[in-house]
Amino acid sequence: MTFAELWRELEPLGRDVGTGGYRRYSWTAADAQCRSWFTRHAEALGLTVEPDRNGNLWAWWGDGRDGAVATGSHLDSVPDGGGYDGALGVASALAAVEKLKVKGFQNERPLALVLFTEEEGARFRVPCLGSRLMTGVVDPATARDLTGDDGITLADAMSAAGADPARLGPDEDLLGRLDVFVELHVEQGRAMAPLDAAVGVAEGIWPHGRWRLDFRGRADHAGTARFADRSDPMLPYASTVLAARQAAEASGALATLGKVIAEPGGANGVSSSVRAWLDCRAPDEAALDETQALIQSAAADAAAAHGVSLDVHRESYTPLVRFDETLRDRIIGVLAAAGTDAPVLPTGAGHDAGILASRIPTAMLFVRNPTGVSHSPAEQATLADCEAGVRALALVLEDLAR
Ligand code: GLV
Ligand code: MN
Ligand code: MN
């Protein structure tokens, strides 16, 4: 199937008709539909599909045990996410293999297509959970207990979907089979449009992390509780939102409070608790740590000033990633030989490629996003650019797997 045909089938899966955004959360019915779309098309290409112990799905071309060239991305989404984030890399991987098969390419080395699970951390709060488990940077027992907003643990969600959570854990055997990983991804930003480039190559990923802030006060009546008597967690939360923006702007970092849950949630009452998530990213780890510490101390001061308690819990942290330079130069050379001058770009977005980069040579291709918007239904890529991405990926895979 061509990219356009694959895309047409994938597009409606997990999309909310009201918002036009995607709600493809791990181990849900939408996730199962996405997995079966991947399996169906990989098998139609003659690939052998198997899950690994961490719920990632792999499709293999070639039966050699070692030296595999891997590509792929994820199909889970943020709440009301765009259609391309992750999905473009998976559909492009299938379309690139189709191209190579049609061309009669005989791969010397095995090719592996992967669909990573829970890349966004939208359900179980730890982004890149599938690749983190695989590389052993997340403890499997801790992972099994991760609990989403619906109160369901990862272990229970996996069991309900027919996967075995007891098998979660580092996968040295699988990692040992992989020589290189190349992830194609939609651009998340607007650097490529002015460069007139459809395809770019990643330089590295900013260090980033996610912190949960629990402000606890006392529920009270909106019409009778005097201000002086209140212990209102919404106030230090609001101060923290503003402090985060100020601290990040001052240090060239980014800080976002994009999710908040106020309990018990009555419009005519003071909240008893406000749970919020801080996402913080910066060009280097010192700036990230300093910015996060400043925000946390502003949050603590504001909480104390309002008689509210504050607990901060770091849910995830990803150090600075620099992708393999030799691999990047090789990819740039392959694309240049085919007439494509691919710019090299840094990104503040996290990716499974960034996790695998600590273990094997890893690279990323970006496909231009004319809106620059991502994690939103406004995310875009033209069909022509997606096809340019597939051609680029096929060239790279052919070069690496020959
Ligand atoms: C993933 O998209 C992230 O950067 O949060
Ligand atoms: Mn994303
Ligand atoms: Mn992504």
Side-chain angles (χ1 to χ4, degrees), residues 74 78 85 119-120 127 188 208 210 279 281 348-351 375:
H74 61 99
V78 298
D85 180 351
E119 191 272 352
E120 299 288 7
Q188 296 171 293
H208 55 283
R210 221 184 261 193
D279 178 305
R281 312 186 185 214
H351 300 286
H375 285 184

Side-chain angles (χ1 to χ4, degrees), residues 74 76 82-88 119-120 185-186 188 374-375 379:
H74 61 99
D76 65 311
Y84 297 87
D85 180 351
L88 184 61
E119 191 272 352
E120 299 288 7
H185 204 279
V186 70
Q188 296 171 293
S374 190
H375 285 184
E379 181 181 83

Side-chain angles (χ1 to χ4, degrees), residues 328-349:
R328 183 168 72 227
D329 289 346
R330 179 167 171 173
I331 288 174
I332 289 171
V334 167
L335 298 182
T340 299
D341 285 329
V344 177
L345 309 163
T347 180

Side-chain angles (χ1 to χ4, degrees), residues 47-59:
L47 312 189
T48 309
V49 180
E50 55 191 28
D52 66 15
R53 54 189 299 176
N54 294 301
N56 309 306
L57 263 189
W58 295 81

